[in-house]
Amino acid sequence: MMADARLISASDELRCEDQANPAVYRCPYCGKSHYVKDGRDHKGQQRYKCKECGKSFKPRSMSIFTNAKLSIAEVYKLIGHFLDGISVRKTAALTGLNPTTVFFWRHKLDDLLLYMMGSQKLSGTIEADETYFEISYKGNHSKDGFHIPRTATKVNPDGTTETVQRIYHRGAKGQKSTDNRKGIKSKRGLSSDLLGIPCAVDRNGRSVGYPASRGNCSKTAIINALDGHLDSYSTIYTDGSGDYEALADLNRLEWKQLKPNQKVDETGKGIQMINNYHSRLKKKINDDFRGVSSKWLPNYIAWFNFSQFHKADKGHKIRHLLSWVMTCQYTGKRREMPRRDPVPIAAGFSSKLRAA
C-alpha cells in the first residue's frame, strides 16, 4: 500500500511519543556521561547540564530535531513517502507541508543515510565495478552564488547545436530531452563531463557507492570510495580492469578478476549483481527522478542503497530509519545546504563519514 493511503496506527503514534523523550546517556558536546538535571524549558522538556564542559542540553540537542518544527509523527509520515519514492510536490500535498520544507527534510534524512553508509561493511562474496553519471548543475543557483562553468547547448531537430541560456525543464517521464538541462557533453568517452562512482555489493544485500572522480576512475579514486567498507579475507569479483588490485591488497581481499567478455568464473560467480545494481540505480535516478543535481547524487545513492537492499518490510524500514534519525547526531544547517560542492568527490570517504 502506498504511503499516501496509509495512516499512522495508534501503536505507531504511541511509539513516536515515547521516542520524543528518550533516555540521556552522555553529553552531546563532549561525550562525557557526568551530568545533572537542570530544570525544564518553556515547553516542559527536561534540561541537563554537563559537569565536564558546563554546557546545557536536552535529549534532542545536536540531532536532526534541534530547533525543528516538525513532530516525530510528521517525520514518520515523511519517511514513509520518502521510501515509496513519492515526489517532493506530491509529498507536500499529502502532508500539508511547504514543498521547500519537504525538500530540505528529505536531504536531512539523506544525510543521515549517508552517515549510515559511511559505516557500512561488506563481507563474503563481493562484486565491484564503476558506473558513470553526467555531471548536472540543475537547480536554482540564484542564491548560492554558483556560476555554471559551461554553456548550455541546445540540439535542434536537424542535428545542429546552438548555445543558449541555462535550460532547465522537466520533460515527460521516461523520455530523454533533446535540449538537455544538464548540458551536452563536450567530449566523447569517459571524459571530465562524467562523474565516476565506484560501487560494491555483497550477497547479503549490503551496498556502498560514492562519487570519486571526474571521468575514468583511477586506483586512488576507487580506494577513496571503497576503502574501509570491505571486510578482510572476503572475495571480491571485478571485471578485467586492474585498478582493483591495490584495493584488494590494502584490505587483504582475495581478488577474482574476470577476463574480457567473461561473465562468470568456473564456480558460476561473476559480476551480475553489480551490473544489475547499476541498471536499477540508473533507472531510478534518470527515469523515475528525471535526473538529479550532482550536488545531491551521493544522498540519492545512499537512499537507493537503503530502500532497495534493506531486507525487511516497509514498516520495519521506517522504524529502523526513524530509530537511526532519533539517535544520530546531526549538525547540518538548512542555510548551508545550497552552498554544498556542486560536484562532490570522495577524499577518504569512509573515514570522513565515520568521523562525522
Side-chain angles (χ1 to χ4, degrees):
M1 184 178 294
M2 297 294 288
D4 54 338
R6 177 187 181 278
L7 299 177
I8 295 181
S9 64
S11 60
D12 289 331
E13 289 279 10
L14 182 60
R15 184 183 298 111
C16 290
E17 293 177 2
D18 291 340
Q19 289 178 323
N21 294 287
V24 176
Y25 299 101
R26 57 187 175 87
C27 171
Y29 298 99
C30 67
K32 302 297 178 60
S33 57
H34 188 196
Y35 58 87
V36 294
K37 291 184 177 181
D38 191 31
R40 296 181 179 271
D41 65 6
H42 65 286
K43 295 182 180 180
Q45 293 181 331
Q46 181 67 57
R47 298 191 64 87
Y48 301 89
K49 185 173 183 179
C50 179
K51 301 294 287 185
E52 300 290 339
C53 65
K55 292 186 177 181
S56 180
F57 62 91
K58 294 185 292 186
R60 292 300 169 212
S61 294
M62 292 186 68
S63 75
I64 197 172
F65 291 100
T66 302
N67 299 323
K69 296 181 180 179
L70 298 188
S71 66
I72 309 294
E74 288 175 316
V75 174
Y76 190 104
K77 292 179 181 179
L78 282 179
I79 293 175
H81 298 318
F82 175 51
L83 292 178
D84 279 334
I86 297 177
S87 68
V88 169
R89 289 181 177 85
K90 188 173 182 180
T91 300
L94 293 171
T95 58
L97 299 173
N98 186 284
T100 303
T101 299
V102 174
F103 176 82
F104 283 111
W105 265 93
R106 169 169 290 191
H107 286 295
K108 282 183 178 182
L109 296 171
D110 279 339
D111 285 342
L112 294 179
L113 285 177
L114 196 60
Y115 296 154
M116 183 187 295
M117 192 172 72
S119 59
Q120 186 75 276
K121 277 282 190 177
L122 279 61
S123 61
T125 300
I126 302 170
E127 300 177 15
D129 199 4
E130 316 93 59
T131 189
Y132 296 87
F133 286 88
E134 290 184 29
I135 293 177
S136 171
Y137 301 108
K138 65 179 289 189
N140 184 358
H141 299 288
S142 60
K143 296 182 180 180
D144 59 12
F146 174 72
H147 299 284
I148 296 178
R150 65 187 180 202
T151 56
T153 306
K154 179 180 179 180
V155 180
N156 297 317
D158 59 0
T160 61
T161 62
E162 61 177 306
T163 301
V164 295
Q165 297 296 322
R166 290 161 53 181
I167 300 174
Y168 298 119
H169 74 287
R170 282 195 166 271
K173 183 176 181 180
Q175 296 181 356
K176 293 184 177 179
S177 306
T178 54
D179 49 342
N180 195 327
R181 63 180 174 271
K182 296 177 284 187
I184 304 302
K185 289 199 304 177
S186 59
K187 302 176 184 177
R188 298 176 60 185
L190 299 179
S191 69
S192 58
D193 290 335
L194 295 176
L195 196 57
I197 306 172
C199 305
V201 299
D202 65 12
R203 300 301 171 93
N204 298 316
R206 294 185 292 265
S207 57
V208 66
Y210 196 85
S213 69
R214 299 184 65 149
N216 191 30
C217 291
S218 64
K219 295 180 181 179
T220 302
I222 292 172
I223 290 175
N224 284 341
L226 300 180
D227 181 36
H229 293 285
L230 313 177
D231 270 346
S232 300
Y233 307 110
S234 297
T235 302
I236 183 170
Y237 284 81
T238 69
D239 58 14
S241 172
D243 291 335
Y244 286 88
E245 183 178 6
L247 176 70
D249 292 341
L250 187 62
N251 290 270
R252 293 178 289 180
L253 304 171
E254 181 183 0
W255 180 36
K256 297 288 187 179
Q257 183 184 22
L258 300 180
K259 298 178 181 179
N261 300 323
Q262 182 184 10
K263 295 182 179 180
V264 296
D265 65 359
E266 60 279 2
T267 64
K269 296 180 180 179
I271 54 174
Q272 302 97 322
M273 280 188 60
I274 189 67
N275 289 336
N276 179 265
Y277 170 86
H278 287 164
S279 177
R280 290 186 294 112
L281 175 63
K282 287 191 172 182
K283 181 181 183 303
K284 180 62 67 175
I285 298 297
N286 295 331
D287 294 344
D288 295 354
F289 287 120
R290 307 177 195 175
V292 301
S293 173
S294 296
K295 177 191 299 186
W296 307 115
L297 187 56
N299 285 11
Y300 280 100
I301 294 174
W303 167 81
F304 179 80
N305 291 340
F306 179 83
S307 62
Q308 296 294 313
F309 284 84
H310 193 290
K311 295 184 177 180
D313 58 34
K314 178 184 170 184
H316 181 76
K317 286 182 182 180
I318 296 177
R319 290 189 292 271
H320 179 71
L321 180 53
L322 183 62
S323 176
W324 174 262
V325 166
M326 304 291 287
T327 57
C328 184
Q329 288 191 7
Y330 183 81
T331 58
K333 303 295 183 183
R334 174 170 164 172
R335 63 177 177 272
E336 296 172 356
M337 285 188 173
R339 296 194 290 269
R340 292 185 180 180
D341 188 351
V343 184
I345 299 295
F349 162 59
S350 57
S351 60
K352 177 179 66 175
L353 287 184
R354 280 198 295 271

